[in-house]
Amino acid sequence: MVELDALSATREGYDAVAGTYAQMFRDSLRDSPLERAILGAFVEVVRAGGVAQVADLGCGPGYVTAHLAGLGMPVFGVDASPAMIQLARQAYPALRFDLGSMAALNIADGELGGVLSRWSIIHTPPPELPGILAEFRRVLAPGGHLLICFPASDGPSRPTQVYDHSVAPAYQWWPDHLAATLGDAGLAEVFRVVSRPEPTDRRQFLGIQLLARRA
Ligand SMILES: C[S@@+](CC[C@H](N)C(=O)[O-])C[C@H]1O[C@@H](n2cnc3c(N)ncnc32)[C@H](O)[C@@H]1O
């Protein structure tokens, strides 16, 4: 019940802002060489693993899905927001975008070489996170990689904390705590990158990009 409520709030929130969100972010990778480098490294490790199929889970308007496709990676997007999926399909008609929930993916066991979760767990209530990570693991082939991006909380004494977000309630995660939760789900950390906010950024917390591998 709690899970449904959170998902409904997220879906309705992103349906309402989908057009604005797409306008704000669709060209954002162009000015982010470091983001592009991390996504490029992700594509390389997935390719090296031999199962070249990636799902961009919580893909929003699909611009990152399209970027991965542009790097030659077979990829599709999944999102809970019908408005986001509609925008993604309009903008990138050659690509596949599915409406769906990260908690119950319509993807076979071990089908994927890679999962990208780019800022898509931010609205997941902490008790529901282990179930979603277990689902990421289920759809990954052995040796498959997860690239997960999330905002960090203030410290280990506050492993998760709610923050002010204009779309739906959102959470920050302490990186070591999240890495341990990934480990419990069978996803071992490979590396993490920490981004520091600019002084002018409205939100003054760290951004984490963490690569993990299914055993
Ligand atoms: C902050 S946006 C990130 C979008 C995109 N990944 C990006 O990097 O711009 C979060 C997206 O995750 C989706 N999302 C959040 N929780 C989800 C869930 N449980 N299942 C599917 N999609 C979800 C939202 O609908 C939204 O489009």
Side-chain angles (χ1 to χ4, degrees):
M1 190 61 181
V2 173
E3 184 189 338
L4 248 191
D5 289 344
L7 189 58
S8 301
T10 301
R11 181 189 297 123
E12 284 171 23
Y14 279 98
D15 274 352
V17 301
T20 311
Y21 186 99
Q23 265 184 341
M24 280 176 74
F25 293 109
R26 73 179 150 220
D27 295 327
S28 55
L29 290 175
R30 194 179 51 198
D31 302 322
S32 302
L34 297 176
E35 291 259 357
R36 293 201 308 273
I38 293 167
L39 291 168
F42 173 61
V43 163
E44 281 197 45
V45 292
V46 170
R47 204 173 270 138
V51 181
Q53 170 83 321
V54 166
D56 179 5
L57 302 178
C59 62
Y63 63 96
V64 185
T65 324
H67 180 78
L68 296 180
L71 296 177
M73 178 54 59
V75 59
F76 62 96
V78 177
D79 203 281
S81 156
M84 287 291 198
I85 290 295
Q86 191 183 1
L87 285 174
R89 287 175 180 160
Q90 279 167 358
Y92 311 105
L95 298 182
R96 170 184 158 197
F97 293 97
D98 297 343
L99 191 60
S101 159
M102 298 191 298
L105 292 164
N106 190 19
I107 301 172
D109 294 0
E111 188 177 325
L112 303 175
V115 163
L116 175 65
S117 166
R118 190 170 183 270
W119 310 112
S120 58
I121 60 159
I122 60 175
H123 304 294
T124 299
E128 294 170 24
L129 187 65
I132 286 193
L133 299 183
E135 193 63 350
F136 290 175
R137 180 192 183 276
R138 180 186 70 75
V139 296
L140 279 171
H145 285 83
L146 165 70
L147 179 62
I148 187 166
C149 314
F150 59 93
S153 67
D154 288 348
S157 63
R158 300 177 79 188
T160 59
Q161 67 196 82
V162 181
Y163 70 95
D164 173 36
H165 191 288
S166 53
V167 176
Y171 303 89
Q172 295 163 244
W173 315 85
W174 184 242
D176 286 347
H177 178 70
L178 196 103
T181 310
L182 283 166
D184 292 344
L187 295 161
E189 179 176 359
V190 177
F191 72 66
R192 73 179 80 166
V193 175
V194 180
S195 323
R196 299 186 189 284
E198 298 292 337
T200 50
D201 285 347
R202 185 166 72 85
R203 296 206 175 101
Q204 289 295 308
F205 45 62
L206 303 176
I208 311 297
Q209 305 206 48
L210 191 155
L211 184 75
R213 182 171 50 230
R214 183 186 156 168

